Structures are given as C-alpha cells and as structure tokens.
Amino acid sequence: MDNMFKLMAFWTGIFAVMFYIGDMPQAALLFVANTGFFLLLGFLNLTERMYMYLFGAYLMIFMVGFSYYSTFIHVPGAGH
C-alpha cells in the first residue's frame, strides 16, 4: 500500500510540473503540496488499514474543499 502512495506522489509531481509549465502557479503549488504529502505517507510504512483511513480522510477533505470552492468562490464563465 505504501507503494501506491509513492505512485500517487509521482503522478501529482508530474501534474505539478505540467501546471507550472502551463503558467498555472496556484495549481502547481497545490500539486507540489499533494506530492509532498503522498511522499511522506509513502515512507511511513503504516498498516494497510491506516493507509485506507488516511486516503478516505484525504478524499473527504478534498470533496469538502472542492464543494466550498465551486459553490462560494468560483464564478462561472469568469476569465474569458
């Protein structure tokens, strides 16, 4: 299970580089933070159950943050 978190760190790192190249620094920083978080978890050698709990908590925090952003902050059609 720890290898899956290292794999997620790899892919979020790739996305961070792509966002940076695409001149999207806020998204790049968000993905750099995700990369560091996943890499840290990948080297902790926790039990599989704990990894599943952490991933579930991560998904819940993401969905709450995304729902808040899309409901209260994002303005549809802005920036065009």
Side-chain angles (χ1 to χ4, degrees):
M1 195 70 183
D2 55 338
N3 287 332
M4 290 309 296
F5 276 87
K6 292 174 190 172
L7 181 68
M8 287 191 293
F10 170 78
W11 283 111
T12 54
I14 295 294
F15 273 80
V17 169
M18 293 297 175
F19 278 127
Y20 183 74
I21 291 171
D23 197 30
M24 302 170 80
Q26 292 90 357
L29 286 175
L30 181 65
F31 273 79
V32 166
N34 277 319
T35 300
F37 177 68
F38 287 144
L39 201 57
L40 173 74
L41 287 178
F43 284 106
L44 285 181
N45 293 326
L46 302 172
T47 64
E48 188 168 347
R49 176 179 285 188
M50 193 63 197
Y51 277 122
M52 292 304 290
Y53 286 149
L54 286 170
F55 188 64
Y58 172 80
L59 290 179
M60 188 179 76
I61 291 169
F62 168 79
M63 284 307 298
V64 168
F66 180 76
S67 298
Y68 177 81
Y69 173 80
S70 62
T71 302
F72 299 111
I73 296 175
H74 181 69
V75 179
H80 292 278

